[in-house]
Amino acid sequence: MKFSSTLLVAAGLVSASVLADDNQNLVAKGQYLATAADCAACHNGTDEQQSPFAGGYSIDSPMGKIIASNITPSKQFGIGNYTEQQFADAVRKGVAADGTHLYPAMPYTAYQGLTDADVKALYAYFMQGVEPVDKAPAEQTELSFPFNVRAAMAGWNLLFADAKPFEAPQGMPADIAHGKYLTDVLAHCGTCHTPRNALMAEDNNQYLAGAALGGWEAPNITSDKTTGIGNWSQQQLEQYLKTGSVPNLSQAGGPMAEAVEHSFRFLTDEDIRDIAAYIKQVPAIKTAAANVRSTATPKLTDINQVITGQGEQKTLADSSTVDGAKLYDSACASCHGRNGQGTADHFYPSLTSNTAVTAALPNNLVMTISHGLSRKGNDVDVLMPAFGRDMTDAQIAAVSNYVRLHFGNIDDGLTGKDVANITSGGPAPFIVRYINLLMALGVIIVLLMLFVIFRRKKH
């Protein structure tokens, strides 16, 4: 039998202060869970104050821009009228209170595993611990046909969502199981690191084996020793999650830098340890490696022979050169060193031992050069300027080729066209490229079925 808190206090069965403490603890737990789920990464406001959870952030999807909604307890513009069950349905099933289907840019296929207790805590936090923001995002999601037909998501959900709470595999140790819950459900790592199938659902046969992500490449984080992170120690993985950096190995950029800044660095040491312990034992999947030249690494260009001098070239925009060595000297050498060695304190990372330089694809290097880098970790704040404002696509290709060839022995032969393709989000997925053909085939199939039915009735 359930009693309301008012009746419990009136009956003298529990004090109001105890209930207040319990509720405060529930809200605090919900705040921690919302941080672990990185809700702020998409739902924070886009105004100067970055109004918490006011929405408006534009998520670049292959189908178009999806605008994150206001999830503050505003009754007019947010979720203030949601019941706990409606909140649970939105988070777990991707269905809003009015029955509208959400797009899986909101990772409900991961959050579907949330326990009832965690949903309750999240609901308490969003309703009581978040300030209401009474305004709608400046933009609304407007996808082209047929992706704007939200009702079609019901069929997609039948195929790829089940809304079943998380269950740890039988026999899995408690700490590993907890790490799996954090990895698969709250942190939704598979949303970025697992490749998508033709219908844009996660391909679980390639679980955590790496995937394209709007120009970036979320790397293979399985235990494969050559193309995954099998050679990383658990300590290195924990450090990476807390700070976004492991000297002479890897630095987080793009969406991963945001995950470190908004989520991972605030998690407890125990939770970080459990995540790392779980990921370390994920079965290895070997994926494509960089095409490293069989011959010796090319001799470094003598930078002293290409220095133009700050008096002659005050900004990159003043030069039209596509000489990778000259561009590296003017844009990169002052921080990363003329030989790519970085600084002794690792504040400016080495390029000679760097996963962005030696990755199978040049995407993350190109995106970092073009878009820059901003990351807050538990140790330092990191900022790298976005050279895409000063460099042309051809120049970004030239400096990327120089870095990959001289510091990774990888000859990509990137062109300006390749860079433009990467920075615009990469090639469109199957369903986007062939949607018109698929719709035409669907119409033909329906007409054939109607024709067969007609013939049968006639005879």
Side-chain angles (χ1 to χ4, degrees), residues 300-316 319 321-340 351 387 391 395 398-400 402-403 406-407:
L300 279 173
T301 301
D302 183 359
I303 291 292
N304 292 307
Q305 300 301 313
V306 300
I307 294 175
T308 57
Q310 292 300 311
E312 300 172 24
Q313 183 179 316
K314 294 181 180 178
T315 69
L316 287 170
S319 174
T321 183
V322 287
D323 184 314
K326 289 183 179 180
L327 290 164
Y328 180 83
D329 172 65
S330 60
C332 315
S334 61
C335 293
H336 296 286
R338 289 180 175 169
N339 297 321
L351 300 179
F387 290 106
M391 288 186 183
Q395 288 176 316
V399 73
S400 298
Y402 178 83
V403 169
H406 287 82
F407 304 139

Side-chain angles (χ1 to χ4, degrees), residues 185-223:
V185 181
L186 283 166
H188 55 281
C189 300
T191 301
C192 294
H193 288 275
T194 298
R196 303 274 170 167
N197 61 23
L199 295 179
M200 297 302 295
E202 293 174 30
D203 180 1
N204 290 321
N205 292 323
Q206 294 289 307
Y207 173 65
L208 300 183
L213 189 66
W216 296 90
E217 287 286 328
N220 181 339
I221 56 171
T222 71
S223 56

Side-chain angles (χ1 to χ4, degrees), residues 195-261:
R196 303 274 170 167
N197 61 23
L199 295 179
M200 297 302 295
E202 293 174 30
D203 180 1
N204 290 321
N205 292 323
Q206 294 289 307
Y207 173 65
L208 300 183
L213 189 66
W216 296 90
E217 287 286 328
N220 181 339
I221 56 171
T222 71
S223 56
D224 185 76
K225 291 184 179 297
T226 55
T227 60
I229 58 173
N231 284 324
W232 289 39
S233 68
Q234 176 153 332
Q235 182 181 12
Q236 287 174 321
L237 187 51
E238 291 177 21
Q239 179 179 343
Y240 183 79
L241 293 173
K242 291 176 184 177
T243 68
S245 175
V246 179
N248 297 319
L249 184 59
S250 185
Q251 290 75 41
M256 188 62 203
E258 294 174 0
V260 170
E261 178 172 340

Side-chain angles (χ1 to χ4, degrees), residues 248-270:
N248 297 319
L249 184 59
S250 185
Q251 290 75 41
M256 188 62 203
E258 294 174 0
V260 170
E261 178 172 340
H262 297 297
S263 180
F264 287 118
R265 71 187 178 111
F266 296 110
L267 301 190
T268 65
D269 290 344
E270 292 78 10

Side-chain angles (χ1 to χ4, degrees), residues 395-438:
Q395 288 176 316
I396 293 175
V399 73
S400 298
N401 286 333
Y402 178 83
V403 169
R404 292 265 284 179
L405 184 60
H406 287 82
F407 304 139
N409 203 24
I410 301 166
D411 190 0
D412 292 310
L414 280 177
T415 66
K417 185 177 180 180
D418 295 327
V419 168
N421 186 42
I422 291 170
T423 56
S424 64
F430 175 87
I431 193 171
V432 175
R433 292 199 309 271
Y434 299 108
I435 186 62
N436 291 332
L437 176 60
L438 292 172

Side-chain angles (χ1 to χ4, degrees), residues 75-130:
K75 292 185 179 297
Q76 183 176 357
F77 300 101
I79 59 172
N81 291 317
Y82 275 49
T83 66
E84 185 175 329
Q85 184 59 54
Q86 289 172 329
F87 177 83
D89 288 343
V91 171
R92 284 174 169 163
K93 300 178 181 179
V95 180
D98 62 0
T100 301
H101 284 273
L102 307 179
Y103 294 111
M106 192 290 201
Y108 59 85
T109 53
Y111 296 157
Q112 66 187 5
L114 284 166
T115 64
D116 291 341
D118 282 356
V119 169
K120 185 178 186 65
L122 282 165
Y123 180 74
Y125 169 62
F126 278 104
M127 292 301 170
Q128 302 173 45
V130 175

